Amino acid sequence: SMATGEAAAEEELNLANTTYSRKMYDYAIQGYEKFLITYPSAKGRDTALFRLAECHRMLGNEEAARAGYERLLREFHEGGFAGAGAYRLGEYLFAEKKYDPALIQFQLAAKEATDDEVRLSAKYNSAQCLDRLKRREEADKYYADVASVQKNNPYLQYARLSLAENAAAAGRKKEALESYSELATGSVPAAIRAEAAIKAAALAAELGEK
C-alpha cells in the first residue's frame, strides 16, 4: 500500500513537471497544487513548491509567486530548490530596499543553490546588500570571491569596480588608483572603463599625480 502511494505521488509530480517543462504554467499550477494537497509528505515537495511559485512568476502573479517562495522557505532550509527560492525572495526584498533580510536570503542561496550562475549572482548580491548596509569590509570579501571567477562571470568587472570604490572610501587611495587605472585601460565594458577613468583621474589629481 505504501509503495502504491509513493508510485502514485511520483506519477502526479512527474505529470506536473511535464506540463511545467512545456511552459503550460496554468495546468502545471493545478498539478502541483493537487500533488501538494494529496501527498503532503511525499518526496519532491520542495520541487513542487518552488516550481509552483515559478509558475505564478512566469504568469505575472507576483504576490502569489512571492507567497510561494516564502512557503517553500518555511518548510525547507537546505537543498537546491531552497537555494533557488531564497534567491528569488532575496530579489523581492532587495527591490524593496530591505537589505538585512535580503542578505539572509542571498547568503542562503549562495550556500545551497546547485546552479553555479545562481550561486555567483547570490554572492554578488550579498556584497551589494552589505555595501548598502555600510559593512564594506564584509562586502569586499564577497566582491573578491566573485572577482576570482574569471570565466562566464558577468559580475567580474562590476566586482572589481566596487572593490576599487571601497578602497577609496576606506582611504586606501593608492590602491584604489591602481585598480581604477587597470579598469580604465583594460578589456572591460565601455561604461565601466569610462567610469573607472574618471575616478582614476579624480584620485590622481587629489594625490598630485597630474
Side-chain angles (χ1 to χ4, degrees):
S1 177
M2 185 178 294
T4 302
E6 289 176 356
E10 184 177 359
E11 183 178 352
E12 195 72 51
L13 181 58
N14 286 340
L15 180 60
N17 286 337
T18 298
T19 54
Y20 176 85
S21 67
R22 293 175 179 172
K23 300 183 180 181
M24 301 164 64
Y25 299 121
D26 284 322
Y27 291 104
I29 286 172
Q30 296 175 29
Y32 287 128
E33 287 179 341
K34 182 179 178 182
F35 168 80
L36 291 165
I37 293 169
T38 309
Y39 307 102
S41 58
K43 293 178 181 178
R45 186 172 177 84
D46 57 343
T47 305
L49 286 169
F50 175 74
R51 289 184 174 169
L52 175 60
E54 284 286 278
C55 286
H56 282 298
R57 186 178 69 85
M58 293 295 186
L59 292 171
N61 305 328
E62 294 297 337
E63 287 187 15
R66 180 170 180 163
Y69 299 127
E70 289 172 344
R71 181 184 177 189
L72 165 67
L73 291 161
R74 282 196 299 271
E75 296 189 29
F76 296 92
H77 300 95
E78 296 180 347
F81 287 106
Y87 182 82
R88 294 291 191 210
L89 186 55
E91 288 183 313
Y92 285 111
L93 293 165
F94 188 89
E96 295 168 358
K97 300 182 179 180
K98 297 177 180 177
Y99 301 121
D100 275 311
L103 174 61
I104 292 170
Q105 299 304 327
F106 286 133
Q107 287 177 327
L108 177 60
K111 178 184 176 186
E112 296 294 335
T114 55
D115 186 274
D116 289 341
E117 186 177 341
V118 172
R119 283 201 308 273
L120 186 65
S121 183
K123 289 178 181 179
Y124 180 76
N125 284 321
S126 293
Q128 291 278 286
C129 288
L130 288 163
D131 249 349
R132 284 159 176 76
L133 292 168
K134 309 300 181 185
R135 293 160 60 181
R136 291 196 174 94
E137 287 187 11
E138 294 173 75
D140 281 352
K141 292 178 182 178
Y142 280 98
Y143 285 133
D145 195 7
V146 172
S148 69
V149 179
Q150 298 295 312
K151 293 183 178 180
N152 301 320
N153 182 1
Y155 306 103
L156 173 59
Q157 309 305 343
Y158 295 99
R160 292 178 63 200
L161 182 63
S162 294
L163 284 168
E165 289 171 342
N166 285 351
R172 304 193 310 274
K173 294 180 180 180
K174 286 279 189 181
E175 176 188 333
L177 176 57
E178 184 177 334
S179 297
Y180 283 137
S181 298
E182 289 175 0
L183 286 165
T185 57
S187 178
V188 300
I192 293 178
R193 193 165 63 247
E195 183 177 349
I198 291 169
K199 290 181 176 179
L203 264 183
E206 188 178 334
L207 293 170
E209 299 182 16
K210 294 184 180 181

